Amino acid sequence: MKNKLIVTHQLPGKPFSALKDRFDIVWPDGDTFGRDDLLENLKDADAVVTVFGKPFKKEMIKASPKLKLIANYGAGVDNIDLEAANREGIVVTNTPDAVTEPTAELAMGLILDVARRISELDRELRAGTIRNWGVMENLSTTLQGKTLGIVGMGAIGRALARRASAFGMNIIYHNRNRVSAETEEKLEARYTDLENLLRNADFVSLNMPLTPETNGMIGLSELKLMKTSAFLINTARGAVLNQTALIEALKNREIAGAALDVYQNEPEIPGELLKMDNVVVTPHVGSATHETREIMSRQVVGIIEDFFQGMTGIPVVNPGVLDSDQYKFKQENIL
Ligand SMILES: O=CC(=O)O
């Protein structure tokens, strides 16, 4: 009998044809399923493909008694109730590698944009509101020689450090665990505590995952430590930053500007941010390139194939579940 796979959102579909002999694959008609439709489909699902930023919470997990695998399309798994998945013996995976380089590209792009005022000047030119092309007009900030503070030196943080070095920036970083001396040397990155990073960086880039420890990590007191000439860049998750505090810090000129790809309550962006010339906004597109979306689909398909053949070496984000009785019971019913 075939296993049942639910894909919760539309994704590049071609790679999924490799699964059709072993799986009945259910896709939504539109962009995604309605709640009731999804709950109904989950009743006898063996695996589900979820999407970063789109909640897959306890209610969904409880409605899925046969579910063995949640294969998240995306690196961040903050959209999934991991505790509920652990309780039910469900393995959760992500697509960590695919999103690294494009997200670092976007972070670099946002740094360039907010520093050199690219979007702002583009808007003004189109609106016909640029008064003058004189030598003292439209001035911005050079990256060369400036200090970039990276909060979260995982794969994306490291990929950003490599790019920023090419622009002549000095790199300091803060991370839960210090990276190896070899990596520090290769990236020419110096470790420091968060307070020191915030006080010294000209650009602060948030690149940590959203976890209970990082939730709200950057609030008003942290923003106040930053230089008034410094910029904040967030391509991580909206909730690592207190958005109300950011708006206050920008209004009070505690910092010079911000460039944001993620928000506390997506897809909502506070109107106040949209009105500020020194704020660049993009709609959570860190990994949104044609190439990356295709690679993410291929990676998810490979993970599902490997998992249902009992293979290890897939990117499991809740490895503790593999020792649980619930997981073992479910495994016995798969193979
Ligand atoms: O934000 C995107 C991802 O987590 O992959």
Side-chain angles (χ1 to χ4, degrees):
M1 207 175 85
K2 286 186 181 181
N3 284 308
K4 181 172 173 190
L5 169 66
I6 312 293
V7 184
T8 59
H9 289 74
Q10 289 299 340
L11 316 164
K14 252 201 214 140
F16 284 82
S17 58
L19 297 176
K20 67 180 188 320
D21 292 342
R22 287 201 60 189
F23 291 86
D24 284 323
I25 308 178
V26 183
W27 292 86
D29 290 333
D31 180 46
T32 185
F33 291 96
R35 173 181 166 276
D36 292 348
D37 206 8
L38 181 58
L39 288 175
E40 183 59 33
N41 269 300
L42 285 169
K43 274 187 186 160
D44 55 350
D46 299 282
V48 62
V49 177
T50 52
V51 169
F52 69 87
K54 313 286 184 202
F56 194 77
K57 296 298 183 194
K58 200 189 286 173
E59 177 189 32
M60 306 293 166
I61 290 172
K62 278 196 150 167
S64 323
K66 287 182 67 192
L67 197 64
K68 292 131 194 133
L69 175 67
I70 299 174
N72 201 44
Y73 184 92
V77 289
D78 48 282
N79 54 318
I80 295 167
D81 188 332
L82 289 177
E83 266 179 36
N86 285 337
R87 261 198 312 276
E88 299 302 324
I90 301 169
V91 170
V92 181
T93 59
N94 66 345
T95 57
D97 306 336
V99 309
T100 300
E101 302 297 328
T103 307
E105 273 175 12
L106 185 81
M108 196 66 231
L110 290 176
I111 292 171
L112 274 167
D113 191 328
V114 75
R116 299 306 311 269
R117 302 173 55 194
I118 298 171
S119 293
E120 180 193 349
L121 295 174
D122 174 271
R123 266 194 315 273
E124 289 194 12
L125 270 181
R126 289 169 198 269
T129 51
I130 294 255
R131 286 194 314 274
N132 195 326
W133 294 40
V135 288
M136 292 308 290
E137 303 291 333
N138 308 316
L139 303 186
S140 59
T141 303
T142 285
L143 299 188
Q144 167 80 34
K146 295 291 184 334
T147 296
L148 169 63
I150 299 178
V151 185
M153 200 53 135
I156 296 172
R158 294 197 292 270
L160 174 61
R162 289 198 303 276
R163 285 162 173 79
S165 291
F167 282 86
M169 301 185 84
N170 307 310
I171 314 293
I172 57 178
Y173 78 95
H174 178 71
N175 198 48
R176 201 174 21 164
N177 302 309
R178 195 167 168 167
V179 302
S180 70
E182 197 189 336
T183 304
E184 282 186 0
E185 199 177 322
K186 212 158 72 194
L187 297 172
E188 295 181 59
R190 281 178 300 126
Y191 176 81
T192 182
D193 60 41
L194 182 62
E195 182 174 331
N196 208 26
L197 181 146
L198 294 166
R199 284 189 196 284
N200 286 285
D202 299 297
F203 295 82
V204 173
S205 176
L206 305 182
N207 296 101
M208 64 286 225
L210 174 61
T211 64
E213 292 74 41
T214 63
N215 200 327
M217 189 169 168
I218 306 297
L220 194 56
S221 43
E222 284 73 26
L223 293 166
K224 281 188 168 174
L225 293 174
M226 289 173 62
K227 299 181 188 179
T228 51
S229 57
F231 297 89
L232 183 84
I233 291 84
N234 189 7
T235 53
R237 283 293 184 266
V240 300
L241 170 66
N242 181 329
Q243 207 162 262
T244 311
L246 174 69
I247 293 169
E248 194 176 330
L250 286 163
K251 272 189 185 158
N252 297 338
R253 303 269 160 202
E254 314 264 11
I255 64 172
L260 309 168
D261 184 46
V262 287
Y263 310 89
Q264 232 160 0
N265 220 352
E266 292 177 11
E268 272 169 42
I269 306 182
E272 277 164 300
L273 285 177
L274 296 176
K275 281 191 219 130
M276 295 180 186
D277 279 336
N278 53 346
V279 174
V280 178
V281 288
T282 50
H284 200 151
V285 289
S287 60
T289 69
H290 296 291
E291 297 85 350
T292 307
R293 290 285 184 255
E294 197 67 37
I295 294 168
M296 289 165 78
S297 274
R298 286 206 298 272
Q299 227 172 54
V300 160
V301 165
I303 288 167
I304 295 167
E305 275 181 323
D306 290 354
F307 177 81
F308 280 89
Q309 290 180 54
M311 284 164 67
T312 51
I314 56 175
V316 175
V317 299
N318 59 340
V321 79
L322 300 172
D323 295 323
S324 71
D325 292 342
Q326 240 334 345
Y327 167 76
K328 286 176 192 153
F329 171 79
K330 284 191 166 174
Q331 272 303 86
E332 277 157 24
N333 291 307
I334 296 174
L335 297 172

